[in-house]
């Protein structure tokens, strides 16, 4: 029976591949091609398209988060697989190969999925407010096997200002252990999410020497996995969700809506919070795409005119225009805004940094009503930021509560971004296969076509 190792190497482009000799060798033996990503070109949307073969209008994942109208809250980075409509590729394969086994290490919407093995980052939230690194692992017995062999999942190196190669290396080694049968029978389909390139390409930009170094680090980390997978008869498929382009202009879309009297806030303890329940318009910012929710259709012309005149906005899509991109789903904003090349959207809604909510200065991906790439940085304006972080770690070890307030509120430090459709092939995502028979004879493949490549590799 044929087996497939599906690697999601976030940010993999021809430019990055030039610094990855081991992965390049896989492509020379098998093949490589461009990948035509979707709008929005963000993790949760593209992964869902790859695994279902459907557009966002069908699988429903319109971004890394959206406004949950039934809850009245904008929420990002949810984890329940039931949010993704459509048949997943492994369920399709099982209809032809009953008993086919699947392991998912790190791909999003992992909770409740019908995979046999699930490993996904999941902190421990203690009753006293502390947060400790850990992962959700199924079957449960595998958790202690992984921790015993690899140590606890390095959560604080997975995202935030201390993100490093350690988290992707941990996921690669955990995948390698499954592929080699170290913890039981090797799965027929092994899927691993490797986000390392995301970090320094957003911090420094795709053309910086740090980007080349990150690519080399990741190539070194996955080399043993690639070797063992090929030796054991796996077809290796490496895919990328998006390429990262140079970032130069943060666009404060929510502040523009607030100044126009459309976005409202409420105040607690002297700090402002987004009030989605009463706002006439607000944006869930997600890199270079923002979903703008406008409850009253009568406000649409005014909101659209405002957004079209905002510096850094390339396009404003109503439902009809969203349909051109397969994005016309009820979860999408009444308007979807796309940034110009080099521009990207902040989630900021306060007008005075002294009034910003507490979570704004922390790494808090689940409470922020939008994506915040500034979380990758220690505040450069605070010379003691790293020292404060170290002191807080001491407090944590002593069992004391603490607030890790180290994230800058000046977003101009961000140098890389993504989300809009790429304008150059050098910065566009790609596919690499160890098996030349899997790739069609075309220059590039739609993201939805990854599903069929997996099925072909599994021979179903």
């Amino acid at each position: 029976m044929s087996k497939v190792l599906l690697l999601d190497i976030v940010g993999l482009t021809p430019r990055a591949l030039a610094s990855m000799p081991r992965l390049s060798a896989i492509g020379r033996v098998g093949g490589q091609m461009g990948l035509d990503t979707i709008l929005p070109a963000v993790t949760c949307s593209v992964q869902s398209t790859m695994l279902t073969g459907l557009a966002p209008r069908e699988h429903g994942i319109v971004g890394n988060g959206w406004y949950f109208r039934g809850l009245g809250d904008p929420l990002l980075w949810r984890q329940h697989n039931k949010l993704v409509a459509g048949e997943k590729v492994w369920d399709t394969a099982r209809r032809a190969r009953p008993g086919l086994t699947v392991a998912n290490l790190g791909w999003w919407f992992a909770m409740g999925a019908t995979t046999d093995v699930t490993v996904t980052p999941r902190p421990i939230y203690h009753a006293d407010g502390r947060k400790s690194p850990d992962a959700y692992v199924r079957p449960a017995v595998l958790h202690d096997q992984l921790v015993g062999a690899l140590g606890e999942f390095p959560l604080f190196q997975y995202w935030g200002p201390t993100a490093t190669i350690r988290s992707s290396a941990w996921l690669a080694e955990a995948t390698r252990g499954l592929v080699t049968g170290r913890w039981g029978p090797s799965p027929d389909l092994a899927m691993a999410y490797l986000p390392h390139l995301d970090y320094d390409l957003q911090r420094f930009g795709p053309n910086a020497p740090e980007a080349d170094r990150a690519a080399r680090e990741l190539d070194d980390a996955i080399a043993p996995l690639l070797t063992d997978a090929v030796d054991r008869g796996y077809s290796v498929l490496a895919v990328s969700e998006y390429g990262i382009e140079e970032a130069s202009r943060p666009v404060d879309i929510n502040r523009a809506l607030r100044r126009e009297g459309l976005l409202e806030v409420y105040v607690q303890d002297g700090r402002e919070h987004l009030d989605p329940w009463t706002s006439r318009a607000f944006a869930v910012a997600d890199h270079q795409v923002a979903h703008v929710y406008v409850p009253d259709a009568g406000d649409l012309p005014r909101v659209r005119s405002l957004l079209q005149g905002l510096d850094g906005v390339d396009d404003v899509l109503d439902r009809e225009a969203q349909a051109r991109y397969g994005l016309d789903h009820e979860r999408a904003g009444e308007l979807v805004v796309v940034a110009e090349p080099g521009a990207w959207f902040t989630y900021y809604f306060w007008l005075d940094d002294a009034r910003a909510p507490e979570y704004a200065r922390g790494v808090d991906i689940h409470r922020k009503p939008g994506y915040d790439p500034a979380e990758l940085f220690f505040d450069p304006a605070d010379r003691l930021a790293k020292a404060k972080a170290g002191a807080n770690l001491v407090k944590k070890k002593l069992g004391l509560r603490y607030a890790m307030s180290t994230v800058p509120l000046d977003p101009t430090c961000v140098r890389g971004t993504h989300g809009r459709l790429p304008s150059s092939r050098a910065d566009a995502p790609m596919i690499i296969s160890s098996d030349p028979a899997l790739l069609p004879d075309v220059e590039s493949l739609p993201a939805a076509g990854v599903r069929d490549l997996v099925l072909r590799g599994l021979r179903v």
Side-chain angles (χ1 to χ4, degrees):
M1 288 293 187
S2 301
K3 297 187 176 186
V4 170
L5 171 63
L6 178 61
L7 301 178
D8 181 1
I9 301 179
V10 182
L12 176 65
T13 63
R15 192 188 305 274
L17 186 64
S19 298
M20 305 181 75
R22 184 65 185 91
L23 187 60
S24 295
I26 292 286
R28 285 195 298 272
V29 171
Q32 63 186 60
M33 62 193 308
L35 184 144
D36 298 327
T37 193
I38 63 168
L39 187 77
V42 298
T43 292
C44 293
S45 298
V46 182
Q47 284 190 3
S48 297
T49 288
M50 289 177 177
L51 296 181
T52 64
L54 303 174
R57 73 156 62 94
E58 297 160 300
H59 60 60
I61 307 304
V62 298
N64 291 323
W66 56 87
Y67 181 50
F68 284 68
R69 290 181 174 89
L71 299 176
D73 278 316
L75 300 170
L76 279 78
W77 306 110
R78 301 295 95 186
Q79 293 181 294
H80 192 8
N81 194 257
K82 292 296 185 184
L83 290 169
V84 187
E87 186 175 70
K88 315 308 184 293
V89 62
W90 55 84
D91 288 324
T92 304
R94 282 174 177 154
R95 286 195 277 107
R97 279 178 58 177
L100 177 136
T101 54
V102 184
N104 173 12
L105 293 91
W107 285 61
W108 279 90
F109 299 111
M111 303 292 195
T114 57
T115 51
D116 300 278
V117 173
T118 301
V119 180
T120 193
R122 183 75 168 180
I124 302 171
Y125 294 100
H126 298 279
D128 62 3
R130 291 177 299 119
K131 181 170 70 173
S132 297
D134 203 0
Y136 169 94
V137 181
R138 178 177 174 269
V141 67
L142 181 60
H143 177 278
D144 290 349
Q145 292 174 324
L146 290 175
V147 172
L150 307 176
E152 65 184 12
F153 179 75
L155 182 77
F156 301 124
Q157 285 75 48
Y158 181 70
W159 182 250
T162 56
T164 67
I165 187 61
R166 281 189 60 203
S167 56
S168 291
W170 193 99
L171 287 165
E173 279 301 298
T175 307
R176 183 183 176 207
L178 290 169
V179 163
T180 57
R182 182 176 181 181
W183 296 299
S186 58
D188 298 302
L189 172 60
M191 302 163 44
Y193 172 64
L194 305 170
H196 183 60
L197 294 184
D198 229 14
Y199 308 146
D200 281 353
L201 270 68
Q202 289 191 68
R203 286 175 177 139
F204 303 106
N207 301 313
E210 291 88 349
D212 298 333
R213 181 190 63 196
R216 291 191 297 269
E217 287 177 337
L218 184 57
D219 195 63
D220 289 343
I222 65 175
L225 170 61
L226 296 175
T227 297
D228 286 343
V230 171
D231 288 347
R232 284 161 176 77
Y234 278 83
S235 294
V236 177
L237 279 173
V239 299
S240 177
E241 304 154 5
Y242 49 77
I244 294 177
E245 67 172 42
E246 294 285 345
S248 56
R249 287 181 295 164
V251 179
D252 296 333
I253 187 170
N254 275 322
R255 284 173 171 163
L257 292 168
R258 182 173 178 184
R259 290 188 179 102
E260 191 68 14
L262 295 162
L263 181 149
E264 295 195 25
V265 299
Y266 65 94
V267 178
Q268 288 184 323
D269 195 26
R271 296 179 180 271
E272 296 176 346
H273 299 265
L274 175 67
D275 190 347
W277 310 292
T278 62
S279 293
R280 293 165 65 183
F282 67 92
V284 177
D286 198 353
H287 300 272
Q288 292 181 302
V289 174
H291 288 270
V292 179
Y293 294 89
V294 187
D296 186 343
D299 287 327
L300 282 171
R302 178 185 172 194
V303 175
R304 179 169 189 156
S305 177
L306 170 68
L307 297 173
Q308 287 174 328
L310 193 60
D311 184 46
V313 167
D314 186 30
D315 205 355
V316 180
L317 310 176
D318 58 16
R319 280 285 187 262
E320 182 178 354
Q322 291 168 29
R324 297 200 302 266
Y325 300 97
L327 191 51
D328 50 327
H329 188 277
E330 63 180 8
R331 291 172 177 167
E334 280 71 26
L335 299 172
V336 173
V337 188
V338 182
E340 293 178 347
W344 60 277
F345 299 115
T346 73
Y347 78 95
Y348 305 160
F349 51 82
W350 57 91
L351 303 180
D352 178 352
D353 284 350
R355 305 278 281 176
E358 276 191 313
Y359 61 66
R361 295 186 182 276
V363 177
D364 204 338
I365 65 172
H366 296 301
R367 282 206 295 167
K368 292 182 180 180
Y371 173 73
D372 185 10
E375 290 185 348
L376 285 168
F377 299 84
F378 286 109
D379 188 352
D382 184 354
R383 291 180 300 171
L384 299 177
K386 291 184 179 180
K388 291 176 182 176
N392 283 330
L393 291 178
V394 173
K395 291 180 182 179
K396 177 183 174 182
K397 290 180 180 179
L398 294 173
L400 303 175
R401 299 184 68 170
Y402 62 94
M404 194 72 78
S405 300
T406 59
V407 173
L409 299 185
D410 177 1
T412 57
C413 52
V414 176
R415 290 289 179 265
T417 189
H418 62 91
R420 58 177 284 122
L421 296 178
S423 53
S424 76
R425 181 52 67 185
D427 292 317
M430 59 186 305
I431 302 171
I432 294 175
S433 172
S434 65
D435 182 353
L438 296 187
L439 299 183
D441 186 19
V442 293
E443 183 179 354
S444 61
L445 186 78
V450 170
R451 176 182 179 276
D452 290 336
L453 295 188
V454 174
L455 294 174
R456 191 177 305 163
L458 294 170
R459 303 295 190 267
V460 297

